Amino acid sequence: MAKTKRKCGVLLPVASLPSRYGIGSFSKEAYEFVDFLAAGGQSYWQILPLGQTGYGDSPYQSFSTFAGNPYFIDLDALVDAGYLNSSDLEGVDFGSDPEKIDYEKEYTNRYPILKKAYENSPFALNPKEAWKSEAYDADRAAFESFIEKNTYWLPDYALYSAVKAAQGGRAYIEWDEDIRLRKPEAMKAYAEKYADEVRSVEFQQFLFVQQWLALKKYANEKGIEIIGDIPIYVAFDSADTWSHPELFEFDEKGYPTVVAGCPPDGFSATGQLWGNPIYRWSYHKQTGYDWWVRRIANCFKLYDVVRIDHFRGFDEYWAIPYGDKTAENGEWRPGPGFELFQTIREKLGKKNIIAEDLGFLTPSVIRLVKKTGYPGMKVLQFAFDSREDSDYLPHNYPVNCVVYTGTHDNETMRGWYDHVNRKDRKFAKEYVGVRSEETAAWSFIRAAFASVAATAIIPMQDYLNLGDEARINTPSTLGGNWEWRMLPGADSSELSGKILRLSQVFGRTSTK
């Protein structure tokens, strides 16, 4: 039997990269981070969803499951291309704290800059004289080709974005009925009225894909694969729900009949009310899961490996009546099960997918994950309940899994160790061999690397030994999430050397 190749990687959202413009992007700092990963003997860079963030700034509540986040477009590259002048970026307030993202300032200041770049480019609906030259015909042809290849989502997303902007950001469910329900005459009138705005949005998506694929190519050539992340659900206010209401449990007026969440448990007496619309799985089945196949295919254009969030929702999901204030009155309903993943494999071939199988798992969920063959996730922070022998303890791992010290939804490892109760800390300290409180995070990293798990992924904050000031997200809270950024120079050669040595000791890199 062939021996499983042991690998490792780092979890760092693109937004958390340092940059001059308030949020991480596909800039030189991203390329430098790839160099850091390669020097550290890593095989993977895991990121969070790349979609355009909506309310609450969460990448798991995006305005489109297909569109990319315009915040990630490298503005310096637009200066190099001649679409902007360096003076256009001088004095713009993107926030003053290098460790925090100010989303309000990003929203207020970045979109006008991107619109200016569009207007001064060969792709404008009415380009300036300097851009009409035949020298730009190849660029225009590439742009038109991009639009044509993405007709199944791009025109709808661009019109949705243009109308939404014109409506002051209001959710589409609050738009006038003619455009909300996509009546043909309204669609035609709005498309004509906002033609320039629509093309500007298409321009942003063109830039996003061009820049991201260039960065991904650079990473792949350095031996680094990208692990992307796909939320199971889409946001209620999204181009997906507006353009394809038939895919969801909506009534004839376009309102959800049920929404997603989690039932009450020991952590929440009223459960979790996420509010995402739920799929009309019977319709998806009738179409041969066409939308899902397109969605997954699009992911594998952008990533090498895909982590599917909330995997248990494909086995069964908690459906809550729309309008309820809590999740208490929901009910379990069956999901599509193995048939969906069998269809994806038949249509797309074997793909590298990670199942986010955290939380309470029923026997049927466990069977589904096993049947797909996808590796599940093991999180060290969940392991050290001193009252029981947990499946998250490394000595209980199967080889076919991905171990993390923590995820974007957890405390940092140092934060967890500082705050965990005394009994569990004592057990954890004995189990991983913590020698010093100051270096405790590295002891947990070492335990993850030493495990039999085929892959170990460590959040960058844990390598930097940061506390909960660097936490990415606290579930079920609003405000203060998704903001953390790595300081410039934190991804140092000294740190990559330390990571490389650890990777070598535990056979997780081909570098000797």
Side-chain angles (χ1 to χ4, degrees):
M1 184 179 291
K3 189 177 179 181
T4 302
K5 180 76 173 75
R6 289 164 62 77
K7 297 181 178 181
C8 55
V10 176
L11 169 59
L12 181 73
V14 170
S16 295
L17 288 164
S19 85
R20 293 196 297 154
Y21 305 116
I23 191 170
S25 70
F26 307 146
S27 62
K28 66 179 178 62
E29 290 86 354
Y31 287 82
E32 289 166 356
F33 185 68
V34 169
D35 293 340
F36 166 83
L37 294 175
Q42 302 300 285
S43 296
Y44 296 114
W45 176 11
Q46 181 168 335
I47 58 176
L48 298 188
L50 288 176
Q52 183 182 16
T53 47
Y55 304 110
D57 307 312
S58 169
Y60 294 89
Q61 296 284 349
S62 176
F63 290 133
S64 167
T65 192
F66 293 100
N69 194 338
Y71 292 164
F72 297 159
I73 294 169
D74 177 22
L75 298 180
D76 286 330
L78 304 190
V79 174
D80 293 341
Y83 306 158
L84 293 173
N85 294 314
S86 55
S87 59
D88 293 325
L89 304 177
E90 290 170 5
V92 179
D93 184 6
F94 290 107
S96 57
D97 188 342
E99 293 183 270
K100 295 288 183 186
I101 299 165
D102 188 325
Y103 284 99
E104 184 178 357
K105 287 178 178 174
E106 286 294 329
Y107 179 82
T108 302
N109 294 318
R110 186 169 289 256
Y111 287 109
I113 289 171
L114 292 173
K115 185 67 187 301
K116 181 178 285 189
Y118 158 73
E119 291 168 347
N120 186 38
S121 78
F123 312 110
L125 205 57
N126 297 298
K128 295 176 180 176
E129 199 61 40
W131 296 105
K132 291 180 181 178
S133 163
E134 291 181 358
Y136 303 107
D137 284 353
D139 292 335
R140 277 187 281 269
F143 181 46
E144 297 302 335
S145 176
F146 171 76
I147 294 172
E148 187 178 335
K149 288 177 181 175
N150 293 280
T151 51
Y152 60 93
W153 68 270
L154 183 55
D156 282 319
Y157 165 73
L159 183 58
Y160 163 88
S161 301
V163 175
K164 187 177 185 64
Q167 298 271 342
R170 285 195 304 162
Y172 83 85
I173 203 69
E174 300 175 10
W175 298 353
D176 290 343
E177 186 174 285
D178 59 349
I179 188 63
R180 177 169 65 82
L181 297 179
R182 297 172 58 88
K183 293 181 178 177
E185 62 277 11
M187 291 288 286
K188 185 173 183 293
Y190 277 81
E192 291 174 356
K193 182 176 182 180
Y194 298 114
D196 197 51
E197 288 78 5
V198 163
R199 195 165 176 87
S200 178
V201 172
E202 292 171 337
F203 165 76
Q204 291 172 16
Q205 291 305 305
F206 177 63
L207 291 177
F208 173 92
V209 170
Q210 273 195 328
Q211 291 190 5
W212 170 247
L213 291 183
L215 176 59
K216 179 180 179 294
K217 182 172 184 285
Y218 182 81
N220 290 166
E221 288 172 349
K222 291 270 186 175
I224 308 296
E225 291 190 304
I226 306 295
I227 302 178
D229 199 328
I230 176 174
I232 181 174
Y233 295 120
V234 302
F236 176 27
D237 182 25
S238 66
D240 310 294
T241 49
W242 175 64
S243 60
H244 290 289
E246 72 279 4
L247 300 176
F248 305 92
E249 294 284 2
F250 287 172
D251 61 23
E252 66 280 355
K253 293 184 178 178
Y255 286 87
T257 55
V258 286
V259 294
C262 281
D265 56 22
F267 299 100
S268 174
T270 59
Q272 293 181 36
L273 179 62
W274 301 336
N276 302 80
I278 283 174
Y279 299 107
R280 183 173 282 128
W281 285 117
S282 58
Y283 179 84
H284 286 267
K285 181 182 175 75
Q286 289 171 17
T287 63
Y289 299 102
D290 178 67
W291 183 83
W292 269 98
V293 171
R294 287 180 183 272
R295 188 183 189 198
I296 297 295
N298 186 69
C299 284
F300 279 100
K301 291 177 184 175
L302 301 175
Y303 318 121
D304 301 295
V305 183
V306 172
R307 188 199 84 123
I308 301 181
D309 192 54
H310 192 60
F311 196 81
R312 78 156 301 174
F314 297 106
D315 178 60
E316 56 180 0
Y317 56 88
W318 190 247
I320 305 158
Y322 178 65
D324 278 17
K325 302 301 181 186
T326 73
E328 295 169 278
N329 297 321
E331 64 176 10
W332 287 112
R333 293 183 181 178
F338 182 67
E339 184 181 60
L340 170 61
F341 301 102
Q342 187 177 34
T343 302
I344 288 170
R345 181 159 185 170
E346 288 170 356
K347 298 285 180 66
L348 303 178
K350 187 177 180 181
K351 294 294 184 183
N352 291 326
I353 290 173
I354 298 169
E356 190 271 295
D357 58 345
L358 306 177
F360 177 72
L361 301 181
T362 62
S364 58
V365 180
I366 294 169
R367 284 195 299 270
L368 175 60
V369 176
K370 188 174 181 180
K371 195 170 183 180
T372 63
Y374 302 154
M377 293 174 57
K378 303 295 181 184
V379 177
L380 275 180
Q381 287 184 26
F382 298 158
F384 300 105
D385 185 336
S386 54
R387 298 166 299 177
E388 62 181 14
D389 184 32
S390 168
D391 287 343
Y392 293 105
L393 284 166
H395 68 261
N396 290 324
Y397 292 174
V399 172
N400 186 34
C401 74
V402 185
V403 58
Y404 297 77
T405 45
T407 74
H408 61 275
D409 282 335
N410 295 106
E411 293 181 272
T412 66
M413 201 67 240
R414 180 169 178 171
W416 178 88
Y417 190 76
D418 287 345
H419 301 142
V420 70
N421 68 68
R422 189 175 62 183
K423 206 170 182 182
D424 291 354
R425 182 190 296 154
K426 182 176 182 293
F427 175 38
K429 187 174 181 177
E430 291 174 345
Y431 189 96
V432 305
V434 173
R435 296 179 180 178
S436 151
E437 307 294 304
E438 184 61 32
T439 61
W442 275 88
S443 298
F444 289 97
I445 294 169
R446 187 180 182 86
F449 271 56
S451 75
V452 298
T455 304
I457 303 291
I458 309 300
M460 189 64 184
Q461 302 96 303
D462 292 347
Y463 278 129
L464 296 171
N465 196 26
L466 297 175
D468 279 348
E469 72 280 0
R471 183 172 183 166
I472 297 289
N473 178 51
T474 303
S476 302
T477 65
L478 285 176
N481 294 319
W482 318 108
E483 293 180 352
W484 176 75
R485 282 202 296 157
M486 180 173 70
L487 285 172
D491 49 349
S492 65
S493 57
E494 180 185 359
L495 181 56
S496 66
K498 191 176 178 181
I499 295 170
L500 174 62
R501 186 62 193 138
L502 196 66
S503 305
Q504 290 171 332
V505 166
F506 292 106
R508 293 193 177 275
T509 175
S510 57
T511 307
K512 299 299 182 185

